[in-house]
Amino acid sequence: MKQAGKRRVLLAVAALLLVLVVAGVLRYQNRPTKILVATDIHYLSPSLNDHGACFEKTILNGDGKALAYIDELTDAFVEQVIREKPAALILSGDLTLNGEKQSHLDLAQKLRSITDCGIPVLVLPGNHDLNNGYAVRFTGKTCEPVENLKPAQFDEVYAEFGYNGASSR
């Protein structure tokens, strides 16, 4: 198995163990346990998208991602999580479209509104989230490269979402 594949499996196992620990603690407290899990959000910051010709072409040639409305969908998801008040929210990778640093920063800000309500958010990076050479800004008829997120930056951006307490990566 390749190193990246092993890392992904280890992160998934760590997330599962965390879920089991949280569930066990809550069960011990005689509280019902609700943990929400979401994956493959593929968030794209509105600041990287002018909805121009290059973006439209990307959507037409895409794989069904709801990019045209991803900001609104993400806001609705955040509101639903807050309304449901789970014991925790786990986001298991592909948080951003192609690892755009700005997309990560904007998504982290949205996730803070969940943690501000007392709901822990735990994130794992996916294959789209780090060192991705396809990180772009959609500008008219062109797609311009933008800064992608590096592993150390992921640790900083998502420190409060489980990464500051991780025992291994």
Side-chain angles (χ1 to χ4, degrees):
M1 184 183 290
K2 291 184 179 181
Q3 189 66 19
K6 287 180 183 178
R7 178 191 287 161
R8 182 87 169 160
V9 168
L10 286 173
L11 287 172
V13 168
L16 178 60
L17 289 173
L18 180 62
V19 167
L20 294 173
V21 168
V22 169
V25 168
L26 293 175
R27 183 177 178 140
Y28 177 74
Q29 296 174 350
N30 291 324
R31 289 179 27 198
T33 303
K34 179 193 286 188
I35 298 173
L36 299 181
V37 180
T39 190
D40 295 279
I41 294 173
H42 290 283
Y43 183 76
L44 178 65
S45 172
S47 67
L48 300 176
N49 182 12
D50 68 354
H51 293 271
C54 184
F55 180 72
E56 292 300 322
K57 182 178 178 183
T58 299
I59 288 176
L60 290 174
N61 295 324
D63 59 2
K65 293 178 188 83
L67 290 179
Y69 307 103
I70 197 62
D71 196 49
E72 295 85 353
L73 289 169
T74 304
D75 287 344
F77 172 71
V78 166
E79 290 172 14
Q80 180 179 350
V81 170
I82 292 169
R83 200 170 40 253
E84 291 193 23
K85 297 178 178 41
L89 168 64
I90 298 172
L91 299 176
S92 62
D94 289 352
L95 306 171
T96 61
L97 178 60
N98 285 313
E100 308 83 10
K101 183 177 181 180
Q102 190 60 53
S103 293
H104 281 289
L105 293 171
D106 290 354
L107 179 61
Q109 187 61 39
K110 290 178 183 293
L111 297 177
R112 280 186 194 94
S113 63
I114 296 173
T115 59
D116 288 348
C117 293
I119 302 166
V121 176
L122 306 165
V123 300
L124 296 167
N127 64 315
H128 286 221
D129 292 321
L130 302 172
N131 296 324
N132 193 323
Y134 295 105
V136 298
R137 170 191 318 275
F138 296 97
T139 307
K141 294 181 180 180
T142 64
C143 298
E144 302 169 356
V146 295
E147 183 178 0
N148 61 32
L149 206 67
K150 308 292 186 258
Q153 294 170 313
F154 190 92
D155 294 358
E156 293 170 15
V157 171
Y158 295 105
E160 67 198 272
F161 306 109
Y163 257 70
N164 62 351
S167 61
S168 67
R169 295 191 177 73

